[in-house]
Every structure is written in C-alpha cells, then in structure tokens.
Amino acid sequence: MAGQDKAALISETRRRFETEYVPDKSDKYDSRDVERLQQDDNWIENYLIWRHDVVDDTLKMIDESFQWRKEYMVNDLSESALPKWLFENGALYLHGYDKEGYKLFWFRVKLHTKDPKLQFEKKKFVAFWLEHYARREHGKPLTVVFDMAETGLSHIDLDFIRFIINCFKVYYPNYLSKIVIFEMPWIMNAAFKIVKGWLGPDAISMLKFANKNEVQEYISAEYLPAYMGGIDTFKYSYPPLVDDDFQTPLCENGPITTEDETESKEEVEADSKEAGESSEEQILNVKKVCSVEQISKPDENDKTDSKTKNAKKALTIFKGPLLHISPAEELFFGSKEIGEKKCLIVLTNVTKNVVAFKVRTTAPDKYRVKPSNSSCEPGTSIDIVVSLHGGFAASLQDRFLIMAAEMDQASGAGVPELAQFWKEVPRNKVMEHRLRCHVVESSKPSTLTLKENSFNIPTKTNEDLHLQLTQLLQVNRRLQEQIDRCVWFQQLIVVLALFLVAIAAFCFFLLYTQRC
C-alpha cells in the first residue's frame, strides 16, 4: 500500500476511535493508551496490518485490546508488582535469537503447573514480558518457543496456551514471527488441533513442529541448550531480570571483565585524543555524516576525506534526545568471502552537557569495540570502531546496545568517574538505542564499513578452520542419520515384500490343492 494511503488509514482509524469509542468507553481505557494512540503511528499500523487494513475490524481490535490492557494494568506492570516466585520459576523468559534475527520468547512447559488460583497472576506475568519487549523493540516481531520436552498431561494448560496466542492475535498485533513447538508428546496431537483453530487460517503457517533433529532449521545451535542439540550454556536464574543478553564487549586491548575495571591513563588519553581528532575532521567536512568507501591500504589514510565526500549514499541517522547515532538501525559486515570485518558508529552530542556513553553487545566474544566506555563533549562527534576478531563471522542474531546519559560538568570523564556515574545514574535518565547486524554477501554495504586488510587482520585462522570443520561434521552427522533411516525403510520394505510373496504363494497353493 502506498505511503499516502497508509497515512490516510491511520488518520481515519485514529479519528474514528476518538469519536466512536472513547466518549462511551473512556472509563474502560487507560488514558495513557488513548494518548499513545494519538501519537504513535506504528502502533495503529500494526493493528491495521493484522486486520488487513479493514478499519472497522481494526477499531474493534483496538477496543478489545485497550480494555484488556486496563484490566491487566499493563502500563503499571513491573518486577515489584508481580510475585517473585514467578520470576524464579523460569517457565517464561526472553533469551537468544532465531535464524532470522527475531528474539526468542521461551515457554518451558514442564515448569508450568495448572492452578486456577494462580492463573491470573501467571497471565499478568506473560503481559509483563510482552510489554517489556514491546517498549524496547518498538514493533519488531519475536518467535515463541513452546519447549515441551519431558512434559505430560499434568503440565498442559490449554487455557494458558490460548491466552498466549490471544496476546499475539489481539493485544500485541504483528509481533509474532512464528511458534516453534519442540518435541510435542503424541498424546497432545488432538489438543493442538484445537490450538490451530485458535490461531486462525492467517497464522496457521506460523506454527512449526520440530524435534531435536529439526529444530535447527529455525534456531541455530548457538541459542539452543544441549538437550535440544545446541551449544548454548545459558542457564536461567533470577535475580537479575534476564534482559537482552547485552554484555560488555572486548575493548581494543583485551576483555573488560567488569564495568569498574579501569584502563590505563595512556589508553584514556589516546581515546580522548582520537575522539578529538575525529571531531575536528567532521567539523572541517561541514559536519556531514557520510559513508566511507573501503580503504584498500593502510598508507591511504590521506585519501579518506575525499572518499567520504564522494560517498554514494548518506547514512541513516537515529536522532535521540542526547545523541544522534549513525547508522540508525544496522551495522553492515561482509561475509567471510568479502572479508569486511570492521564498521564505524558515529555518535554526535546534541546537548549542552557532556554525555557519557557505553556500548554493549549480545556477542562479547566476537567483537572488539573502541572506545566502548567514554564520553562526548557538547556539540562534538566521536567515532566508535566495531571489529570482528579471530575467525568469527557476524550473524543476524548479533545486537549492539548504546547507552547514554548526561553528566554534570564537574563529574569528570575519567574511567573511575564514569564507572561511578553509571552506578548512580537513574534508569529513567538513560537513553538506549539498539543496532542489529547485517551480513553483506556480495556487494558493498552503504555504511561505514572498513576493509579487513587495512587493519592487517589475517583472512584465515585456526578458529575459522575449526568452525568450518565443525559445520562439516554436523552436516555429515545429519546425512548419516538420513542414510540410516533410508536403510531402515529399505529393510522394512524388503520384509513386507517377502511377506506378500509368501501370502501369494500360500494362496496359489490353496487354489492348487482345491482343484486336485
């Protein structure tokens, strides 16, 4: 649908809801939801998409969703508002990504027990997680994993499963990527025919049944536990709340094990000097943020400015209240064949105060970030180099989190001061922005990508070869399993054929004896 048509539908939906629903049902809605609907086009667009741009159906859906949000007090749900045992149980949590880069929402069915007295609290717990994710990711779909390993009839709660499905059908539209059901017991086949009916014809294709041999079609081994055939060592625990798995990455000179760990004064001064030099260069270039052409040799640094000016496509910029961040959404890395292993993030301070920032990632062992924890002076910009090291390759599941907060001028910007600042700064004063990774297979990315060879990084390493060998062994194992199944079927067919021949011979014998 054209942008103008979509904007007209959003405007019509907003106007009609305000005139046809709000006057009669204002006491059934949370005023914060009504206010958000007047400002958030993406929210309305998600409802329209889920209802195929039919405004009447969309309005009914918004009405039902808003009444549910007030009943469950969704805007006020927090850790302190829910029983602690729900978090400690570990039946529901967010962790990892599927192969398409969507967040995984785990429901470990064996840890769930059906209890009507606790049902409402458990449903509020689901609403807490979904709202927690929705506020953070702003409409990006997620994948639900029903882990039914080691489950029996006592664990199955169809009412609770129906509630989870309704959350995506009505309350959080367009948030569902797929539902992966792992090792569903055969006894539940009839029950899940009912579940398919709840999903409806539009969402039935999102239901994926998988066993240990098939689940890696949807989720890589990196985010699967060992009992699913994966290599993820993650074990759920609480507290703290399992967030987005962001951790402090490797700095240029080695790993930072804690946020309080201090670097040498020389490193801090070097980072500050580099930040100052990059700021001066950007000011001389009329403060434009442009994409950089690949640098073919280290001694061609003097040509960088001219390449920046002649870039084909300007970067997208996320305009936050404290920092403008470029690129806005994705870091482009090359595949192993291309060999592009470095990207650039440009932060621009748009406030009148010093802004402290730090960078975290979901894959801290893969990446080096320099600087990963520093500050930016008012009106200046700073370049952050993100690089892959060793034999690692970027993947769609990798994420980066940029955190920023204003500092008092008297606070100081040294490492000890920054560590203390991040301990004390209130959560609501911190700006957060997330970037995802994009792997370019054949062509140049239109972003700040720096060529691997210019940094003298070897193209092949032992880790790289080991990773390829591991992948080959996995493929070989799957092929062997398929061969074993084929052999088994062949043997079965031979036995059945012999059995049929024996029956035929017996029949002929009976006919022969009767004639004689």
Side-chain angles (χ1 to χ4, degrees):
M1 179 176 288
Q4 292 181 345
D5 294 338
K6 179 65 73 174
L9 280 176
I10 292 172
S11 178
E12 180 187 353
T13 303
R14 183 177 283 135
R15 176 185 58 79
R16 287 186 57 186
F17 188 78
E18 187 175 4
T19 56
E20 297 176 18
Y21 285 83
V22 174
D24 297 331
K25 297 185 178 181
S26 58
D27 59 325
K28 296 182 179 180
Y29 302 150
D30 189 320
S31 60
R32 290 167 289 185
D33 291 330
V34 177
E35 182 180 352
R36 178 184 168 190
L37 195 75
Q38 299 304 315
Q39 301 171 356
D40 193 341
D41 289 352
N42 290 332
W43 204 18
I44 299 177
E45 186 175 1
N46 281 335
Y47 283 110
L48 283 167
I49 291 171
W50 206 244
R51 284 294 177 259
H52 306 290
D53 293 326
V54 178
V55 175
D56 288 337
D57 293 344
T58 301
L59 291 170
K60 293 176 183 178
M61 187 178 186
I62 294 174
D63 172 50
E64 183 179 351
S65 175
F66 276 24
Q67 291 191 50
W68 172 82
R69 290 177 66 86
K70 183 167 184 179
E71 179 188 358
Y72 281 76
M73 299 181 292
V74 173
N75 289 310
D76 297 314
L77 289 177
S78 63
E79 287 183 69
S80 58
L82 293 166
K84 188 177 179 181
W85 66 266
L86 284 171
F87 294 94
E88 293 174 336
N89 177 256
L92 288 166
Y93 57 88
L94 292 165
H95 172 69
Y97 301 87
D98 68 8
K99 285 191 170 182
E100 296 177 277
Y102 297 125
K103 191 71 180 174
L104 297 176
F105 184 38
W106 292 84
F107 177 26
R108 298 198 64 194
V109 181
K110 78 170 187 177
L111 300 178
H112 174 82
T113 53
K114 188 174 181 179
D115 187 344
K117 296 179 181 179
L118 303 174
Q119 198 76 324
F120 186 67
E121 292 295 330
K122 290 182 178 180
K123 290 179 178 179
K124 288 177 69 174
F125 187 53
V126 174
F128 163 81
W129 273 117
L130 293 178
E131 187 70 11
H132 175 78
Y133 175 82
R135 289 175 181 174
R136 192 176 64 201
E137 295 294 342
H138 308 294
K140 186 173 176 63
L142 52 74
T143 293
V144 178
V145 181
F146 281 101
D147 178 6
M148 303 186 74
E150 302 177 13
T151 59
L153 286 175
S154 61
H155 301 104
I156 305 302
D157 188 345
L158 288 180
D159 178 60
F160 192 67
I161 293 174
R162 184 174 188 175
F163 173 79
I164 293 176
I165 290 173
N166 278 341
C167 282
F168 292 102
K169 283 187 64 178
V170 182
Y171 314 137
Y172 292 90
N174 211 35
Y175 269 85
L176 182 62
S177 162
K178 67 181 76 69
I179 299 176
V180 178
I181 300 177
F182 178 73
E183 290 195 349
M184 186 185 74
W186 65 269
I187 200 170
M188 289 303 300
N189 285 334
F192 265 83
K193 288 181 180 178
I194 300 173
V195 172
K196 289 180 180 179
W198 293 337
L199 281 170
D202 294 334
I204 198 68
S205 61
M206 298 179 179
L207 204 59
K208 313 293 182 184
F209 293 89
N211 55 31
K212 189 174 180 179
N213 295 324
E214 300 164 340
V215 70
Q216 290 194 37
E217 293 179 19
Y218 312 107
I219 306 168
S220 63
E222 180 182 1
Y223 291 113
L224 289 174
Y227 67 87
M228 286 188 175
I231 57 174
D232 190 2
T233 57
F234 168 82
K235 290 185 178 180
Y236 179 87
S237 63
Y238 179 85
L241 185 70
V242 176
D243 197 356
D244 206 5
D245 315 316
F246 286 105
Q247 302 176 44
T248 302
L250 294 173
C251 70
E252 190 66 21
N253 297 312
I256 300 176
T257 55
T258 65
E259 290 186 16
D260 296 352
E261 184 175 0
T262 59
E263 296 178 319
S264 65
K265 292 182 179 179
E266 291 79 5
E267 290 173 355
V268 175
E269 290 171 0
D271 287 346
S272 302
K273 184 177 179 181
E274 289 175 6
E277 289 174 354
S278 64
S279 301
E280 291 175 5
E281 289 176 3
Q282 290 179 343
I283 292 170
L284 291 173
N285 286 326
V286 204
K287 294 184 179 179
K288 290 183 178 179
V289 182
C290 300
S291 60
V292 180
E293 294 287 339
Q294 292 183 5
I295 304 170
S296 60
K297 295 181 181 179
D299 60 355
E300 290 182 355
N301 292 333
D302 57 331
K303 299 181 181 179
T304 304
D305 292 338
S306 62
K307 290 184 178 181
T308 304
K309 294 176 183 178
N310 296 327
K312 295 180 181 179
K313 183 179 179 181
L315 284 169
T316 55
I317 300 175
F318 168 77
K319 296 182 178 180
L322 306 181
L323 296 174
H324 286 184
I325 302 172
S326 182
E329 296 181 354
E330 293 183 326
L331 292 178
F332 286 84
F333 288 92
S335 63
K336 290 185 179 181
E337 290 76 14
I338 296 175
E340 292 161 350
K341 298 290 187 178
K342 298 211 174 201
C343 286
L344 202 63
I345 302 173
V346 180
L347 306 181
T348 303
N349 185 348
V350 295
T351 72
K352 296 180 180 180
N353 298 317
V354 176
V355 172
F357 68 87
K358 59 181 177 179
V359 183
R360 289 185 167 187
T361 178
T362 56
D365 295 333
K366 284 186 180 182
Y367 297 95
R368 294 187 180 185
V369 178
K370 185 176 182 181
S372 62
N373 187 8
S374 187
S375 61
C376 189
E377 295 294 324
T380 64
S381 298
I382 190 167
D383 294 347
I384 299 174
V385 178
V386 180
S387 59
L388 283 158
H389 70 97
F392 289 108
S395 66
L396 295 175
Q397 293 93 340
D398 298 343
R399 296 287 191 280
F400 287 86
L401 171 67
I402 298 172
M403 304 173 67
E406 283 187 282
M407 299 181 70
D408 295 331
Q409 295 289 348
S411 297
V415 173
E417 289 83 5
L418 285 171
Q420 187 63 29
F421 170 77
W422 286 113
K423 285 182 178 180
E424 297 174 352
V425 64
R427 181 75 175 178
N428 60 358
K429 299 292 184 182
V430 177
M431 183 195 97
E432 294 187 354
H433 184 67
R434 287 162 173 77
L435 299 172
R436 57 183 180 269
C437 290
H438 183 86
V439 181
V440 180
E441 296 297 337
S442 58
S443 60
K444 286 185 180 180
S446 56
T447 185
L448 297 178
T449 306
L450 307 180
K451 194 170 182 181
E452 175 188 29
N453 292 340
S454 64
F455 289 85
N456 295 322
I457 295 180
T459 56
K460 287 288 184 179
T461 64
N462 290 334
E463 291 88 349
D464 191 12
L465 294 173
H466 177 72
L467 180 61
Q468 292 180 358
L469 179 60
T470 302
Q471 292 172 343
L472 287 172
L473 289 173
Q474 290 178 345
V475 171
N476 181 68
R477 178 175 55 80
R478 287 196 292 269
L479 288 173
Q480 185 62 46
E481 290 174 352
Q482 292 175 358
I483 291 171
D484 292 341
R485 284 197 294 269
C486 289
V487 170
W488 185 83
F489 277 116
Q490 287 177 347
Q491 292 173 344
L492 179 63
I493 290 170
V494 170
V495 171
L496 291 174
L498 291 173
F499 181 69
L500 291 173
V501 169
I503 291 176
F506 181 71
C507 291
F508 280 119
F509 175 76
L510 289 177
L511 289 172
Y512 177 77
T513 54
Q514 287 176 357
R515 288 179 180 178
C516 293

